[in-house]
Amino acid sequence: MKTQIVIGLGFGDEGKGLTTAYLSQQATHPIIIRFNGGHQAGHTVVLPNGKRHVFSSLGSGTLHNVPTYWSRYCTFYPPGFLNEYRTLLKAGVQPRFYLDALSPVTTFYDVIYNRALESSRDRHGSCGLGFGATIERHEAFPKLFAQDLWFPEILKMKLNAIALYYDQKIKLTNSAQLATAFYDYDFAKATEHYLQDVKKCVSVISLVQEQTFFDSLKEQQTTFILEGAQGILLDMDHGFFPHVTRSHTGSKNAMEMI
């Protein structure tokens, strides 16, 4: 068993994707492990033959047919994953994706709130994909885990709870501008599309429990390539506040997994 950790030493854009792709080519039985951040990442990989992809919801070794393990430290956004999965299929790549059962899941409510918040105040620099909103919601209530996606009735119940959570959150801010930006959406239509995307996602994803999954790989001489997201200077504990992300961008999560 061999373990490699890829970490960016700046604010991002350090070449983590290319480095991960390179290491996956050199490795024996590699698997890419995403250990921080989530679907808001953007890791560009260009192959010698010109094939190019920006990875967000899959590991950067996917163009080399290397599987991805999406850990519980990463947010998972079903529509984003599905779009990327379909793009790779069209490029002739068949992604293999293992999703940790306890990964926090981003909903359209988180994305809409994130964008409404950015439009109603001075921009904080968010990419508007609901990553920070998802982490903040999971620190409070209600939580939505990857394993819930396999149970439609539980998913619907939790979506209703998340809707109430944001409704109350917006009322407490007493911001008419935020309320206008947030409620300017067709939530019924958004719910329908989200449920459809989830149904398609669960048909192509392998849901796993962390310990069981790693135990199954112990005897296979697997090379674990842990791919970081965002740079270490954005670390939630050690970065330059307020210009930080809600994630441990250093080796903390990776070392805990190891």
Side-chain angles (χ1 to χ4, degrees):
M1 184 187 301
K2 185 177 182 180
T3 304
Q4 299 168 319
I5 306 176
V6 180
I7 298 175
L9 297 182
F11 289 99
D13 296 324
E14 308 96 345
K16 295 182 293 296
L18 279 173
T19 301
T20 299
Y22 172 78
L23 291 174
S24 68
Q25 279 186 293
Q26 314 302 314
T28 301
H29 303 302
I31 184 168
I32 307 300
I33 300 173
R34 279 289 308 276
F35 66 88
N36 78 295
H39 59 283
Q40 90 289 21
H43 295 177
T44 303
V45 175
V46 182
L47 300 185
N49 62 8
K51 184 179 289 187
R52 178 182 184 274
H53 185 78
V54 180
F55 289 96
S56 297
S57 296
L58 284 140
S60 295
T62 305
L63 291 180
H64 299 299
N65 297 310
V66 177
T68 298
Y69 170 68
W70 199 260
S71 76
R72 58 189 169 91
Y73 297 107
C74 300
T75 57
F76 178 72
Y77 183 45
F81 169 83
L82 193 60
N83 288 338
E84 187 168 348
Y85 183 86
R86 287 169 170 168
T87 298
L88 288 165
L89 284 180
K90 290 179 181 178
V93 179
Q94 178 64 62
R96 289 174 289 161
F97 189 81
Y98 300 93
L99 176 62
D100 190 280
L102 296 181
S103 295
V105 176
T106 294
T107 70
F108 55 91
Y109 288 112
D110 303 301
V111 175
I112 291 170
Y113 177 77
N114 187 180
R115 293 175 181 176
L117 199 62
E118 288 294 302
S119 68
S120 64
R121 67 179 188 189
D122 292 336
R123 289 187 60 83
H124 180 62
S126 169
C127 55
L129 292 177
F131 169 73
T134 303
I135 299 300
E136 184 178 10
R137 171 171 58 76
H138 262 250
E139 290 172 350
F141 180 83
K143 296 172 171 57
L144 178 63
F145 295 106
Q147 62 191 11
D148 299 323
L149 301 179
W150 270 254
F151 301 92
E153 294 308 314
I154 291 178
L155 174 58
K156 291 175 186 177
M157 179 183 69
K158 290 200 171 187
L159 286 176
N160 288 335
I162 292 170
L164 292 174
Y165 164 83
Y166 279 115
D167 185 62
Q168 185 65 27
K169 192 176 181 69
I170 289 170
K171 287 178 179 177
L172 288 173
T173 66
N174 200 30
S175 170
Q177 188 178 3
L178 177 60
T180 299
F182 181 78
Y183 292 112
D184 188 26
Y185 285 87
D186 185 341
F187 288 107
K189 190 173 183 179
T191 301
E192 180 183 353
H193 288 166
Y194 188 81
L195 293 175
Q196 290 174 354
D197 285 346
V198 167
K199 185 177 181 180
K200 293 170 184 174
C201 277
V202 301
S203 68
V204 298
I205 288 173
S206 298
L207 185 71
V208 297
Q209 301 286 341
E210 181 181 275
Q211 191 61 56
T212 303
F213 180 69
F214 284 120
D215 284 346
S216 70
L217 298 175
K218 281 182 178 178
E219 305 302 324
Q220 299 181 25
Q221 295 185 322
T222 302
T223 299
F224 298 101
I225 305 172
L226 293 99
E227 178 181 6
Q230 302 172 292
I232 200 170
L233 296 182
L234 292 172
D235 186 88
M236 62 187 294
D237 292 332
H238 305 292
F240 294 91
F241 189 84
H243 304 291
V244 297
T245 185
R246 287 179 177 270
S247 176
H248 295 292
T249 60
S251 61
K252 182 178 186 297
N253 296 343
M255 294 304 296
E256 286 184 6
M257 294 179 71
I258 292 171

